[in-house]
Amino acid sequence: EVLVPGALILFIFGGVITAGEAFHGFSNQGMLSVGFLYVVAYALQATGVLDTVTRALFGRDKGGLRVKLNRFLFPVAGLSAFLNNTPVVSMLVPAVKSWCRQRNVPSSKFLIPLSYAAILGGTCTLIGTSSNLVVHGFLLERGLGGFSFFELAVVGVPITIVGILALSFVLHRLLPNRKEAITELDENTRDFVIQMKVSEKYVEVGKSIEAAGLRHLQGLFLFQIERNGDVIAPVQPNEKVRVNDRLFFTGLPSTIVELQKHRGLDVIKDAHFDLKNYDSSELKTYEVVVSPSSPLVGKTVRKSNFRRIYDAVILAIHRSGERIDSKVGDIKFRAGDTLLILSHREFYDHWYHSRDFSLVSTSDEVPSKRRSQAVIALGITLAMVVSVALDLLPLVVAAGSAAILLILTRCISSLDAFSGVDWKILLVIASAFGIAKALENAGVAQYFATRIVSLSAPIGILALIASIYFATLIMREIVSNNAAAAIMFPVAVSIASQSTHDLMPFAYAVVIGASAGFATPIGYATNLMVFGPGGYRFKDYLKVGIPMDLIVGAVAVSIIYFHFF
């Protein structure tokens, strides 16, 4: 985001391009479509649609590593075909790590495949990844109509199937077997304590703690059960869950907020605060520290009228150096107690200077929307996809309309919509169009095209397609996918002109080559996103990515050749 626009400015001063040519990409339909699609993806994440999909992906299946990989890689690729792959991977990384912990398998065997599956899925549709839209924008500028919604699927679907099967059957053996160091929560952990009551609506009633999935919750530890006045501690994994059980967990604020959204596990019944169906744009979580001069000190939660006075509900309590194992209503406030509460957005301004609390701060942000908004968000997204797939609306119009409707229906606030857009990516994409024009004006594209044609043309058209594909792929392993597409598209245009062939097969080679690169963590955002969480090293990508590049590249080039020639 610094180098690409910086190079663009240098090209203007060097007289390579005019200012109009340099900034023409900022009005390009492909770039604008990417921006609108970021809003759509963020809305699906905020309303919990993607969260529901995640839970469906990671069931408690049995089987070997091959079965587990296939179970979620194909759905991830399918999801990535209709959403930008960056937010998809961003949402799934913590889910995969949690899933791996529960099954005692190394996340390093799953996170690179997660990134690769998202990359492959992005090649199946026009909106799957931003580089598809960049090349689509180039084609529109040349009056060639661009790609239809599913046009790229003729190459994208086969390489996705082959790539995932190669990962699950063979290449996963090349991945490292690194388990992360798991820190178990114990008595002295500085975490909040929450008490949940089991109602008859809880679907896991009658199952053991292990089978119900309550033993290995991410960031949470079930340390006690209270049943009919009796206390069960420590909790054994074969202990059955029963209606009216009170479950005591210790954990982090964000995980506690997520826990209270489980149907049938209730923190407190309150008509004003629907804890399982609240809108995080209206209600937020806060952490407040009870001050020594607070009127709360010495009172129990039940007798303090906390809900009425502060218009807030207590989710959990932390008391330094002491684990609280009483019912929430029976806990007596002490100075220094930290309360995790849910209240309206005005709470901070209203109580920040109050003597009741020595500290008021916002807690971890956990997106939450009403269930009806999740249905609306999903409906709007499906309508957008159908309208583009059936050629009822241009992509930029459909995506822009979807983004506006999501804001108007309050599935996402206007502030969240702006924060959900990756403006750095948009800056690079918009600038990339100017870079491509500069390469064309300076004759760089013509030079490379001439060299490729002179070396490959005697062998045949298959060699030309392979040359442009792997040249784009090598470029993409060094720079971003959008920059690689921008640099290589003018070369493809020149090759088509010099070889007297149609541009489209070479455009296919550029768009797939710019996306399907796997050998480095720096060339694609999703590869970099899993680098740290998976504990990977650069060589891990080389060991798995180079064979993937060759396998996927061979399939892609062959399909492009047979499809057009």
Side-chain angles (χ1 to χ4, degrees), residues 200-215:
E200 61 278 358
K201 294 180 181 178
Y202 187 50
V203 295
E204 311 289 357
V205 168
K207 295 183 180 179
S208 67
I209 296 297
E210 183 87 43
L214 296 175
R215 182 169 171 78

Side-chain angles (χ1 to χ4, degrees), residues 63-386:
L65 184 59
R66 183 184 306 165
V67 174
K68 291 182 172 71
L69 281 169
N70 281 323
R71 178 184 173 85
F72 87 95
L73 291 185
F74 279 107
V76 165
L79 193 62
S80 183
F82 297 96
L83 293 171
N84 190 282
N85 44 31
T86 306
V88 169
V89 172
S90 174
M91 179 206 67
L92 289 178
V93 165
V96 170
K97 286 174 70 67
S98 175
W99 187 74
C100 289
R101 286 195 201 108
Q102 292 177 25
R103 285 150 185 80
N104 196 31
V105 294
S107 59
S108 60
K109 288 287 188 182
F110 288 83
L111 290 177
I112 278 182
L114 167 66
S115 174
Y116 287 1
I119 291 171
L120 289 167
T123 65
C124 296
T125 66
L126 175 59
I127 65 174
T129 188
S130 54
S131 53
N132 295 358
L133 293 165
V134 168
V135 177
H136 174 70
F138 282 136
L139 292 170
L140 290 177
E141 287 186 342
R142 292 182 175 272
L144 297 177
F147 301 117
S148 64
F149 190 84
F150 288 110
E151 185 174 348
L152 294 173
V154 68
V155 181
V157 170
I159 66 172
T160 298
I161 293 172
V162 171
I164 290 177
L165 290 178
L167 273 172
S168 59
F169 279 86
V170 180
L171 297 182
H172 72 269
R173 303 175 192 277
L174 303 176
L175 289 166
N177 190 23
R178 300 190 190 108
K179 290 188 179 181
E180 61 182 313
I182 300 174
T183 304
E184 294 291 340
L185 296 169
D186 59 27
E187 296 179 355
N188 299 316
T189 305
R190 293 190 69 253
D191 288 300
F192 287 83
V193 171
I194 184 173
Q195 170 210 313
M196 311 289 290
K197 186 175 180 180
V198 179
S199 74
E200 61 278 358
K201 294 180 181 178
Y202 187 50
V203 295
E204 311 289 357
V205 168
K207 295 183 180 179
S208 67
I209 296 297
E210 183 87 43
L214 296 175
R215 182 169 171 78
H216 298 290
L217 290 168
Q218 184 183 18
L220 284 170
F221 175 63
L222 176 62
F223 69 88
Q224 177 177 298
I225 297 177
E226 185 181 300
R227 179 181 298 153
N228 299 325
D230 297 327
V231 174
I232 302 171
V235 181
Q236 300 300 321
N238 58 354
E239 184 68 47
K240 295 286 198 302
V241 180
R242 299 180 185 175
V243 176
N244 294 324
D245 278 355
R246 294 184 182 273
L247 311 179
F248 290 80
F249 295 90
T250 179
L252 305 173
S254 58
T255 58
I256 283 173
V257 175
E258 290 288 355
L259 178 66
Q260 56 84 24
K261 297 181 78 67
H262 285 230
R263 182 176 171 82
L265 294 182
D266 300 320
V267 179
I268 185 173
K269 292 189 179 296
D270 192 304
H272 185 71
F273 290 98
D274 183 359
L275 299 183
K276 302 195 185 305
N277 200 27
Y278 73 91
D279 188 341
S280 57
S281 63
E282 298 173 1
L283 300 174
K284 292 178 67 67
T285 51
Y286 299 89
E287 292 179 40
V288 299
V289 179
V290 178
S291 69
S293 59
S294 174
L296 294 171
V297 174
K299 294 181 180 178
T300 63
V301 172
R302 184 177 292 107
K303 293 183 178 180
S304 68
N305 291 320
F306 192 92
R307 158 73 181 82
R308 181 181 60 80
I309 296 172
Y310 301 103
D311 195 20
V313 61
I314 299 173
L315 300 180
I317 298 178
H318 166 70
R319 180 170 292 164
S320 182
E322 183 178 336
R323 175 173 288 173
I324 305 171
D325 53 10
S326 306
K327 296 178 183 178
V328 172
D330 296 334
I331 295 172
K332 280 188 177 182
F333 290 112
R334 295 183 189 173
D337 283 352
T338 304
L339 316 178
L340 177 65
I341 65 170
L342 183 72
S343 187
H344 296 279
R345 299 183 75 92
E346 298 80 22
F347 180 89
Y348 182 88
D349 295 331
H350 191 80
W351 296 101
Y352 179 67
H353 295 294
S354 169
R355 70 182 183 91
D356 294 12
F357 307 112
S358 57
L359 180 66
V360 177
S361 63
T362 55
S363 189
D364 295 340
E365 185 72 28
V366 177
S368 174
K369 295 288 179 180
R370 298 185 181 93
R371 294 188 191 98
S372 59
Q373 289 174 309
V375 175
I376 293 170
L378 183 59
I380 291 172
T381 304
L382 291 176
M384 176 195 75
V385 171
V386 170

